[in-house]
Every structure is written in C-alpha cells, then in structure tokens.
Amino acid sequence: MDDTDDGSDADSTIRPYESSDADALWALKRGFETGLGAGTGGEEKAATYEAKLTDEYRRRWLEWVDRCVDEQAATVTVAEAGGDTAATGGAADGAADDAAADEGPVGEASALAGYVFVLPESLSFVWDAAVLNEVYVRPEYRSTGVADDLMEAALSTAREQDLPLDRMVLDVDRENERAQAFYERYGFEHWGEMVARDL
C-alpha cells in the first residue's frame, strides 16, 4: 500500500450532506455494507450484511442520518464527484477505501464519490470520544485523494465537538489489514477491543 494519497488527481468537492443527496448516499451506504460483508469473513457474514439492507432499513437509516445532521450539519460529509477522476480504478490507498475494504460496486449511479459519518456530539459519551462511524469511497475514486479529504473533514468535525476525551475512535475489523494500515498512517492506535453477541 502506498503511504501517500495527496489528492493531486482528485476533482471532487467536499461538502456537508444535504437531504437531496439521500439516494446517492444510500447507494454509497450499500457499497459500504456489502464491502464489509464481502471483504472480511466468510459467506455467512456477507449474507448477514446483505440481508439487512431492506427498504425498511434504508428508511430508518436515512431518517437517523437526518436527525444527526439536524444536530450537527457536518456529521455527514460527502465528496461530490467531478470530472474524469473515476478513470483511476483499481488499488485503494485512502481512508475510505480501506475502511470498507474491497467493497463491491455501489449498485447504482451516484453523483457522490464518497462520504464520511462522524456521530454528533450528543453521542460522544458512547465511547467518551468522537466516533468515526463510517467512511467509504467508490472504487473508481480510490487513490485520488478523496479519502484523505474525507478524513480531514471528519477530524475537523470532531475538533468542533465538546468531547469527554479529546480523541476519535472507530471500529475496524481485525481482518481488514488495509484499513488498519490507513488508520495507523493517520495516527490511530489500538484502544481496547469490541466484542459482541447475538440477542
């Protein structure tokens, strides 16, 4: 993995999410979720991630996004696609690229190249810190600087929050070596480990 993603090829605009972006954001969310399922773990994990992406889940997730954005507009930041940047294809070396790890195609046309989602300040007590919830870049926009631009936006949003601890946390799959390498490049270090069980 190349350690640089200087954005010299990027032709995108980083801006806060707007409600008119809902369909494009959902297309990216699908890419994020199916990529998590396919990129780490076996067929059962992939099937689990795919199965949750119902119309009801879409409705509820987008409503939640709206509530978060109403609280703090910059919690969801998008990269608006531009120019012929999509021609780069292939290898990923940026934040959003690695965070979702080998995602499949978005599934429908999108005017957005990627997004980053930082939980609003009111939810910072979940981890006593800013929480980087999701970050994703469409495969054709990887290695263009979009991922780094989104990470910088996420850090800026977090710095504006009144946090219990001045840090940002995120959940990254231990099998996702690309994501771990990216986050290490940004100075993230292991801080505990999440465990889970079925209800």
Side-chain angles (χ1 to χ4, degrees):
M1 174 178 184
D2 181 53
D3 279 354
T4 61
D5 191 17
D6 63 11
S8 58
D9 295 331
D11 183 19
S12 60
T13 301
I14 305 300
R15 61 171 175 78
Y17 166 80
E18 300 169 358
S19 59
S20 60
D21 297 320
D23 290 340
L25 182 66
W26 176 249
L28 294 173
K29 170 68 170 171
R30 284 190 57 82
F32 174 82
E33 293 290 345
T34 57
L36 288 175
T40 56
E43 291 179 18
E44 182 179 331
K45 182 176 180 181
T48 298
Y49 277 82
E50 180 69 34
K52 78 176 187 179
L53 298 174
T54 64
D55 289 341
E56 176 66 6
Y57 182 92
R58 177 188 190 278
R59 182 190 63 76
R60 292 179 63 201
W61 187 77
L62 287 171
E63 285 177 356
W64 180 57
V65 166
D66 287 341
R67 289 193 304 272
C68 291
V69 168
D70 284 347
E71 183 175 331
Q72 184 181 9
T75 57
V76 179
T77 300
V78 298
E80 193 171 272
D84 293 327
T85 311
T88 59
D93 66 345
D97 316 336
D98 296 328
D102 298 323
E103 304 86 344
V106 171
E108 59 186 82
S110 174
L112 302 180
Y115 75 102
V116 65
F117 189 171
V118 177
L119 296 186
E121 181 181 308
S122 66
L123 299 176
S124 65
F125 286 93
V126 171
W127 293 107
D128 283 339
V131 180
L132 179 57
N133 187 49
E134 297 171 358
V135 58
Y136 177 81
V137 169
R138 285 168 44 193
E140 64 269 30
Y141 279 87
R142 296 176 186 169
S143 300
T144 66
V146 170
D148 284 324
D149 291 344
L150 288 169
M151 177 58 79
E152 291 300 332
L155 291 169
S156 177
T157 297
R159 288 180 183 120
E160 293 174 6
Q161 297 180 347
D162 183 11
L163 303 168
L165 297 176
D166 289 331
R167 68 174 65 215
M168 176 180 274
V169 298
L170 59 97
D171 173 31
V172 60
D173 196 304
R174 72 181 72 155
E175 296 178 32
N176 190 339
E177 294 176 5
R178 292 172 47 212
Q180 292 190 30
F182 172 80
Y183 292 124
E184 286 172 9
R185 179 161 67 90
Y186 264 90
F188 287 86
E189 300 174 345
H190 289 281
W191 191 48
E193 183 173 347
M194 181 178 285
V195 296
R197 58 154 288 165
D198 290 338
L199 295 178

